């Protein structure tokens, strides 16, 4: 009996251990599923912000003006008039917003990584040229408008400002949301202010290819629109701001797009929008909300790795000549190509892959 009792205890312990192990496995499985759902929600809210938040907030504000709560909308509009020029003066960044946990879930969905290759001096100002644009510039946003990938720790003392369409800052609520992340208008007034009246240690992040580049982005293609994009070089010379090439491997992989050939009616419509409104409408799709096998607005969970290259020292020239601009633009293009060639094999591209510069 004694022997049977001892055997029963050991059997019970063994069974309990198995149950505990099973419960632990179940806990981690549930946790993994919850984290995945949070990642999807975090990305979905950003996609909806990118696509409709500005228009939605404008319509809601107009509706409130026609209700008994009109005073709330009127007060906000009065504040809007008073605060109208804030985006042109460096905005109103919030470290609290930049450190939201939702951005870490956003980062892990793909995942997105930031790779530092050189130190940046806090006594200098910088213009980062970000390539490629992709459909939504997901890597640019995550790396430079949030702290999810540790930009503040990797480049201590450097304040990044992601530059985007000035029209976004005319939209109520959206403008304040963008400014909280350190996003500024991509216009001369805003960039001049940050680089000349905001001290040193500033880094303006410009997606150089813009809307034109977004029209050609497609999985498996590494091309940038850069040959005739020289305005950012002229700005760097006027302020003596160092140029830093940045390439995001995987930015073009997260959405699939219908590419219209040059001369087609679709490309004609896109170029008209680009010329008169500042952005080009793209026909694209990602995955569905509930399944990666269906079409939807969510990007595919493909890794995006953003590599920040070596800064190019730029002299301060108040009125740079075209020759000066061409010289430093050529240096920048060469530096970007070298950065791409150095890191391409580390992030899944063959050694034979060539960066196409248009």
């Amino acid at each position: 009996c004694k022997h049977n009792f001892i055997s029963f205890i050991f059997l019970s312990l063994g069974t309990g251990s198995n149950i505990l192990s099973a419960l632990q496995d179940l806990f981690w499985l549930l946790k993994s599923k919850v984290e995945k759902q949070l990642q999807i929600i975090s990305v979905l809210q950003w996609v909806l912000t990118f696509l409709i938040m500005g228009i939605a907030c404008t319509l809601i504000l107009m509706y409130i003006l026609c209700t008994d709560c009109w005073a709330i909308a009127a007060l906000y509009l009065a504040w809007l008039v008073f605060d109208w020029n804030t985006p042109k003066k460096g905005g109103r960044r919030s470290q609290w917003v930049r450190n939201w946990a939702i951005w870490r879930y956003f980062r892990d969905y793909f995942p997105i990584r930031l790779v530092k290759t050189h130190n940046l001096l806090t006594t200098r100002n910088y213009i980062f040229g970000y390539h490629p644009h992709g459909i939504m510039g997901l890597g640019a946003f995550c790396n430079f408008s949030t702290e999810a990938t540790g930009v503040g720790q990797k480049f201590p003392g450097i304040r990044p400002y992601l530059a985007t369409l000035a029209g976004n800052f005319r939209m109520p609520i959206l403008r304040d949301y963008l400014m909280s992340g350190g996003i500024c208008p991509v216009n001369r007034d805003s960039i001049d202010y940050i680089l000349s009246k905001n001290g040193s240690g500033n880094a303006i992040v410009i997606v150089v290819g813009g809307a034109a580049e977004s029209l050609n982005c497609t999985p498996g293609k590494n091309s940038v629109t850069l040959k005739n994009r020289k305005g950012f070089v002229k700005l760097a010379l006027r302020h003596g701001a160092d140029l830093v090439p940045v390439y995001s491997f995987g930015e073009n992989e997260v959405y699939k797009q219908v590419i219209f050939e040059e001369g087609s009616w679709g490309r004609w419509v896109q170029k008209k929008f680009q010329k008169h409104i500042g952005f080009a409408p793209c026909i694209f799709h990602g995955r569905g909300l509930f399944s990666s096998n269906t079409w939807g607005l969510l990007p595919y969970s493909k890794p995006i790795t953003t590599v920040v290259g070596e800064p190019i020292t730029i002299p301060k020239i108040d009125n740079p000549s075209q020759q000066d601009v061409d010289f430093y633009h050529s240096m920048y293009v060469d530096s970007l190509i070298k950065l791409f060639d150095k890191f391409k094999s580390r992030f899944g591209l063959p050694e034979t892959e060539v960066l196409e510069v248009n």
Side-chain angles (χ1 to χ4, degrees), residues 282-338:
C282 302
I283 300 178
F284 65 92
H285 74 84
R287 53 155 289 183
L289 181 60
F290 301 107
S291 171
S292 59
N293 297 320
T294 58
W295 287 12
L297 288 177
L298 279 177
Y300 293 106
S301 53
K302 304 287 186 178
I304 299 174
T305 305
T306 303
V307 184
V308 180
E310 182 178 4
I312 302 167
T313 302
I314 302 294
K316 188 177 186 303
I317 305 174
D318 291 333
N319 295 297
S321 66
Q322 190 59 48
Q323 186 177 2
D324 293 326
V325 173
D326 290 343
F327 175 75
Y328 285 102
H329 181 267
S330 177
M331 284 183 63
Y332 178 86
V333 173
D334 290 343
S335 182
L336 178 64
I337 292 173
K338 288 177 182 176

Side-chain angles (χ1 to χ4, degrees), residues 23 47 52 78 137 216 293:
L23 287 173
V47 170
I52 66 171
N216 295 315
N293 297 320

Side-chain angles (χ1 to χ4, degrees), residues 2 9 24 30 87 92 95 108-109 146 156 165 193 204 231 240 260 275 304 309 339 346 349 356:
K2 184 178 180 182
I9 291 176
Q24 288 176 335
L30 291 173
R92 188 169 45 246
Q95 285 301 115
D108 293 339
Y109 173 84
T146 80
L165 290 175
Y193 183 92
I204 305 287
F260 293 102
K275 180 180 179 180
I304 299 174
L339 180 70
R346 300 189 195 183
L349 298 178
E356 182 183 329

Side-chain angles (χ1 to χ4, degrees), residues 93 98 125 155-161 194 198-204:
R93 75 172 54 219
R98 288 174 61 89
N125 283 324
F155 299 103
I158 302 297
R159 293 180 298 276
Y161 294 85
I194 293 171
N198 202 41
S200 59
N202 302 293
I204 305 287

Side-chain angles (χ1 to χ4, degrees), residues 209-283:
E213 192 172 83
S214 69
L215 297 178
N216 295 315
C217 71
T218 187
K221 186 174 183 180
N222 288 284
S223 66
V224 296
T225 302
L226 183 56
K227 279 184 180 178
N228 297 316
R229 299 296 175 104
K230 300 181 180 180
F232 72 105
V233 178
K234 190 172 184 179
L235 279 170
L237 286 164
R238 288 180 60 245
H239 293 285
D242 293 348
L243 288 171
V244 182
V246 179
Y247 196 85
S248 237
F249 294 90
E251 185 72 62
N252 285 346
E253 308 299 317
V254 296
Y255 279 111
K256 295 178 181 178
Q257 179 183 190
V258 176
I259 304 293
F260 293 102
E261 297 294 330
E262 289 294 337
S264 66
W265 67 270
R267 182 55 64 101
W268 180 84
V269 170
Q270 289 176 324
K271 287 189 172 181
K272 286 295 182 182
F273 266 84
Q274 179 189 337
K275 180 180 179 180
H276 296 292
I277 302 178
F279 74 92
C282 302
I283 300 178

Side-chain angles (χ1 to χ4, degrees), residues 73-238:
L75 284 172
Y76 178 79
L77 288 173
W79 160 253
L80 194 62
V81 172
F82 174 78
D83 195 55
W84 190 253
N85 289 322
T86 298
K88 298 178 182 178
K89 298 180 180 180
R92 188 169 45 246
R93 75 172 54 219
S94 166
Q95 285 301 115
W96 175 65
V97 173
R98 288 174 61 89
N99 281 287
W100 277 354
I102 195 171
W103 306 132
R104 294 193 289 276
Y105 290 113
F106 182 96
R107 171 199 66 197
D108 293 339
Y109 173 84
F110 297 93
I112 296 174
R113 291 173 51 212
L114 180 65
V115 176
K116 169 185 174 180
T117 62
H118 291 78
N119 292 323
L120 298 180
L121 300 175
T122 57
T123 55
R124 300 285 293 173
N125 283 324
Y126 301 91
I127 292 180
F128 287 16
Y130 184 92
H131 313 269
H133 183 287
I135 295 292
M136 297 185 185
L138 293 159
F141 171 79
C142 185
N143 285 306
F144 302 112
S145 295
T146 80
E147 293 296 330
T149 56
V151 65
Q153 289 73 43
K154 291 176 180 176
F155 299 103
I158 302 297
R159 293 180 298 276
Y161 294 85
L162 177 60
T164 188
L165 290 175
N168 289 323
F169 296 89
R170 301 187 186 101
M171 302 282 191
I173 310 300
L174 175 63
R175 67 189 292 277
D176 302 288
Y177 189 41
L178 295 178
M179 284 194 292
S180 67
I183 301 177
C184 69
V186 62
N187 58 32
R188 181 169 172 174
D189 289 343
S190 177
I191 294 172
D192 282 347
Y193 183 92
I194 293 171
L195 295 180
S196 64
K197 298 179 181 179
N198 202 41
S200 59
N202 302 293
I204 305 287
V205 183
I206 300 177
V207 186
V208 178
E213 192 172 83
S214 69
L215 297 178
N216 295 315
C217 71
T218 187
K221 186 174 183 180
N222 288 284
S223 66
V224 296
T225 302
L226 183 56
K227 279 184 180 178
N228 297 316
R229 299 296 175 104
K230 300 181 180 180
F232 72 105
V233 178
K234 190 172 184 179
L235 279 170
L237 286 164
R238 288 180 60 245

